[in-house]
Amino acid sequence: MQGLARQGLTGQDRDGGPASTQDGRASVGPVQDDLVLAGLALDGRGPLFDQIKRAVAGQILRGRWLAGERLPNEAELSSLYGVSRQTVHKAIALLAREGFLVRRRRAGTFVATGRRDRFALPIEDIGDVVAREGRVYEFRIRDRKSLRNGEGIRWPDLPDGTPILTLECLHFSDGTPIQFERRLVNLDVVPEVVDEAFDVVAPSRWLVDRVPWSSADHSVRAVNATAEMAALLGVEAGAACLSIRRQTMHLSRPVTLVHFLSVGDRFSLSGSSITDSATELNL
Amino acid sequence: MQGLARQGLTGQDRDGGPASTQDGRASVGPVQDDLVLAGLALDGRGPLFDQIKRAVAGQILRGRWLAGERLPNEAELSSLYGVSRQTVHKAIALLAREGFLVRRRRAGTFVATGRRDRFALPIEDIGDVVAREGRVYEFRIRDRKSLRNGEGIRWPDLPDGTPILTLECLHFSDGTPIQFERRLVNLDVVPEVVDEAFDVVAPSRWLVDRVPWSSADHSVRAVNATAEMAALLGVEAGAACLSIRRQTMHLSRPVTLVHFLSVGDRFSLSGSSITDSATELNL
DNA sequence: CGACGGTTTATGTACATACATTATCGTCCA
DNA sequence: TGGACGATAATGTATGTACATAAACCGTCG
């Protein structure tokens, strides 16, 4: 085809309106009209592969292809849009990687089915949450011990005898206690922690900065506050609290095991959580 | 270079051990030794771009490059590994898309900083959870009304007068009530719901199958059970319960607003949640 | 009719090339 | 000194080409 002069499309120098898809394409007429009718028209905003992602994802959202149905193959899409197969491939492969599509060699590309509730709830650092709400965040270390695993406390996923640091910490929002934290740190992985006083940076933040790139498993439950916890958090015994347990791993080694206990009516987990990356597409 | 005959690497017909990276590469010697020393050697498993992703991500995890530091540019990596720039580009661009790296034109590629706790907790359908635990799942519709928004109940994000369906539902695990559900459904979006009896498929599942591709926002709190709820769930009043609120959207229109109330010691949210896609890399 | 095996088709990967885009870095000049 | 400005170095996008891979398809043969 007319090889070049298409890169210019990526910039701001767009001319045609949203419906006119491409500008100087040679064969106007039937093909583009079909596209417009099908609602498949490109919008001219951003790179071509992004436009194609949006066009295809938009059609799926609008029910043009139902779950499980087959999409046109790369060659067909490529000639429909008048772009190379690689460009279509990039767009479709990305949608597949994001979970919208399933691709099988020889069989074709299908709208993903059984997209179950893949909703995910972001779990943020409490300091960030408090700060974002415009409140004053403070914390206080209540207790700190060095010991070995199995001596009084047992960290299941860690061999007995491993040196660990235990921390107890209270978190405040505008002076009100909102969360109690009890943490174990693996000293084999982070020996430097013994020299850290935690008078400025909170343990969670310190660990994230020090040992990034980790994975974790969580569990979130509701529990009634014990008398001791209730006293610490300044609520009456039995108040509903959110209990979050998190174990963090780095290269398959446990780094830290932490229990958060938050007062129910002073703290909530929340977030606009998306079935993966639907927002990226601006639909 | 020696253009072809490299595709064979993607298959199973690998020959060299994990340390020998490529096979018939022309210039053996210093380059590959450097790679091995640097721990950057490819492992020969899977496509080249995946191997490069693993090699680079692995080095970051091992602290070879710290947060904020700059990586070699595409040309350097390309000659290091003896692959084309496109292949390196694909690997690095994917790592950037997954949040591990930040790229700036002319400036270079950097290890992402401030990777905050982007942990995400998957929120599953309760039927799936119960079934996976090997228990018997049942549900019972307790109440069902058709009305208009504002008549007794108000759904904030929906205009007054919009027809809605309200549902109340109890979920059981092995006969024990574990969750109460109160749901509003936007009849403008899903009018078919009035013809659905929900005698086989639970409302959440029905809606997911019917209106996929949605986004949602959640909030999770801990509350003490009211007397009424306690009676329904078979616990004493005041028992700690997990309260999950979810509003689901489709093409910017609210579809359903649902409140789940789960008994604290019979239900927990949990999941191995990963800072994005670290698991994909098998590190 | 069913097992087997070759053909075909659609996706997957890799490389080469070309050009666009965007900061950064120097340099020159006021 | 400092600001404009152009060279430059990095990533970003698009196309063409070639081959690999997997699985569906189909025809043949037992």
Side-chain angles (χ1 to χ4, degrees):
Chain A
M1 307 259 155
Q2 76 280 44
L4 313 174
R6 193 173 294 135
Q7 181 76 18
L9 284 170
T10 40
Q12 278 79 334
D13 53 309
R14 188 87 346 78
D15 52 351
S20 81
T21 69
Q22 251 50 32
D23 46 0
R25 191 77 75 247
S27 62
V28 190
V31 173
Q32 302 205 1
D33 290 350
D34 284 359
L35 287 182
V36 172
L37 282 177
L40 275 168
L42 304 185
D43 57 13
R45 282 180 295 142
L48 278 177
F49 76 88
D50 258 348
Q51 297 183 42
I52 294 177
K53 276 183 65 177
R54 273 197 304 275
V56 172
Q59 285 311 299
I60 294 172
L61 282 171
R62 272 160 244 269
R64 168 85 170 72
W65 297 295
L66 302 179
E69 281 189 336
R70 191 184 149 170
L71 272 64
N73 67 32
E74 293 186 354
E76 288 166 334
L77 289 173
S78 147
S79 74
L80 259 180
Y81 288 119
V83 302
S84 72
R85 179 168 82 95
Q86 344 330 309
T87 302
V88 168
H89 176 75
K90 185 171 182 180
I92 302 297
L94 282 173
L95 284 173
R97 182 172 286 267
E98 290 161 8
F100 287 88
L101 302 174
V102 174
R103 314 196 79 189
R104 278 178 16 244
R105 282 169 155 150
R106 169 67 220 246
T109 303
F110 304 84
V111 178
T113 63
R115 228 180 125 60
R116 289 289 150 260
D117 259 332
R118 291 268 251 73
F119 294 122
L121 186 69
I123 300 185
E124 297 176 277
D125 189 86
I126 187 153
D128 293 341
V129 175
V130 171
R132 202 184 43 237
E133 286 173 354
R135 299 172 191 280
V136 177
Y137 169 67
E138 294 164 300
F139 69 93
R140 202 177 80 234
I141 304 283
R142 265 179 45 84
D143 185 66
R144 172 187 184 126
K145 288 199 205 73
S146 273
L147 43 81
R148 292 185 171 273
N149 194 26
E151 295 174 358
I153 290 178
R154 171 152 293 127
W155 184 347
D157 290 355
L158 211 60
D160 271 13
T162 309
I164 58 182
L165 178 73
T166 72
L167 290 169
E168 285 187 8
C169 181
L170 257 181
H171 301 267
F172 299 85
S173 168
D174 274 351
T176 309
I178 50 169
Q179 189 175 71
F180 175 76
E181 168 183 349
R182 182 187 192 84
R183 182 184 290 272
L184 308 180
V185 183
N186 183 346
L187 287 176
D188 273 354
V189 173
V190 208
E192 323 91 275
V193 76
V194 297
D195 300 322
E196 174 62 37
F198 295 119
D199 39 14
V200 179
V201 181
S204 58
R205 174 68 58 92
W206 188 90
L207 277 164
V208 169
D209 288 346
R210 184 78 35 156
V211 190
W213 311 106
S214 42
S215 70
D217 60 281
H218 289 89
S219 86
V220 176
R221 305 162 38 91
V223 298
N224 292 102
T226 62
E228 184 193 8
M229 284 300 116
L232 274 175
L233 292 168
V235 293
E236 69 276 27
C241 290
L242 215 52
S243 162
I244 305 176
R245 178 195 164 284
R246 170 193 302 168
Q247 179 168 259
T248 307
M249 315 280 289
H250 180 68
L251 292 172
S252 340
R253 288 199 299 173
V255 177
T256 183
L257 173 65
V258 58
H259 249 96
F260 296 107
L261 195 74
S262 323
V263 183
D265 50 9
R266 294 185 199 150
F267 180 78
S268 72
L269 289 168
S270 67
S272 99
S273 55
I274 294 97
T275 50
D276 290 339
S277 47
T279 36
E280 283 179 20
L281 299 163
N282 300 314
L283 292 168
Chain B
M1 303 263 152
Q2 77 278 46
L4 313 176
R6 193 175 293 134
Q7 181 75 18
L9 284 169
T10 40
Q12 277 78 335
D13 53 308
R14 189 85 348 76
D15 53 352
S20 83
T21 70
Q22 251 51 29
D23 47 1
R25 191 76 75 248
S27 61
V28 191
V31 173
Q32 302 204 0
D33 291 349
D34 284 357
L35 287 183
V36 173
L37 283 177
L40 275 169
L42 303 184
D43 56 14
R45 281 180 297 143
L48 277 177
F49 76 89
D50 258 347
Q51 297 183 43
I52 293 176
K53 276 183 65 176
R54 274 197 302 275
V56 172
Q59 286 310 302
I60 293 173
L61 282 170
R62 274 160 243 270
R64 168 87 170 70
W65 298 295
L66 302 179
E69 280 189 335
R70 192 183 148 171
L71 272 64
N73 66 32
E74 294 185 354
E76 288 166 332
L77 288 174
S78 146
S79 73
L80 259 180
Y81 288 119
V83 301
S84 72
R85 179 165 87 92
Q86 328 358 293
T87 303
V88 167
H89 176 74
K90 185 171 183 180
I92 302 297
L94 282 173
L95 284 173
R97 181 172 286 267
E98 290 161 8
F100 287 88
L101 302 174
V102 173
R103 313 197 77 187
R104 276 174 22 240
R105 281 169 158 152
R106 169 66 218 246
T109 303
F110 305 84
V111 178
T113 62
R115 225 179 124 62
R116 291 289 151 258
D117 259 331
R118 290 271 250 74
F119 294 120
L121 187 67
I123 299 186
E124 296 176 278
D125 187 85
I126 187 154
D128 294 342
V129 175
V130 171
R132 202 184 43 237
E133 285 173 353
R135 300 173 190 278
V136 177
Y137 169 68
E138 294 163 299
F139 69 94
R140 202 176 80 233
I141 304 283
R142 266 179 44 83
D143 184 65
R144 172 187 184 126
K145 288 199 205 76
S146 273
L147 43 81
R148 294 187 169 270
N149 195 26
E151 295 174 359
I153 289 178
R154 172 151 292 127
W155 184 347
D157 290 354
L158 212 58
D160 271 13
T162 309
I164 57 182
L165 178 73
T166 71
L167 289 168
E168 284 187 10
C169 180
L170 258 180
H171 300 267
F172 299 85
S173 168
D174 275 353
T176 308
I178 51 168
Q179 190 174 73
F180 175 76
E181 167 182 348
R182 180 187 194 82
R183 183 184 290 272
L184 307 180
V185 183
N186 183 347
L187 287 176
D188 273 354
V189 173
V190 209
E192 323 91 276
V193 75
V194 296
D195 300 322
E196 176 62 37
F198 296 121
D199 39 13
V200 179
V201 181
S204 59
R205 174 69 59 92
W206 187 89
L207 277 164
V208 169
D209 289 345
R210 184 80 33 155
V211 189
W213 312 106
S214 41
S215 68
D217 61 281
H218 288 90
S219 87
V220 176
R221 305 163 36 92
V223 298
N224 292 102
T226 62
E228 184 194 7
M229 284 300 113
L232 273 175
L233 293 168
V235 294
E236 68 277 26
C241 290
L242 215 50
S243 161
I244 305 175
R245 178 195 163 283
R246 170 194 303 168
Q247 179 168 260
T248 307
M249 315 280 289
H250 180 68
L251 291 171
S252 339
R253 288 199 299 172
V255 177
T256 183
L257 173 65
V258 59
H259 249 97
F260 296 107
L261 195 74
S262 322
V263 182
D265 50 10
R266 296 186 199 149
F267 179 78
S268 71
L269 289 169
S270 67
S272 98
S273 55
I274 296 96
T275 49
D276 289 339
S277 49
T279 37
E280 281 179 21
L281 298 163
N282 299 314
L283 293 169

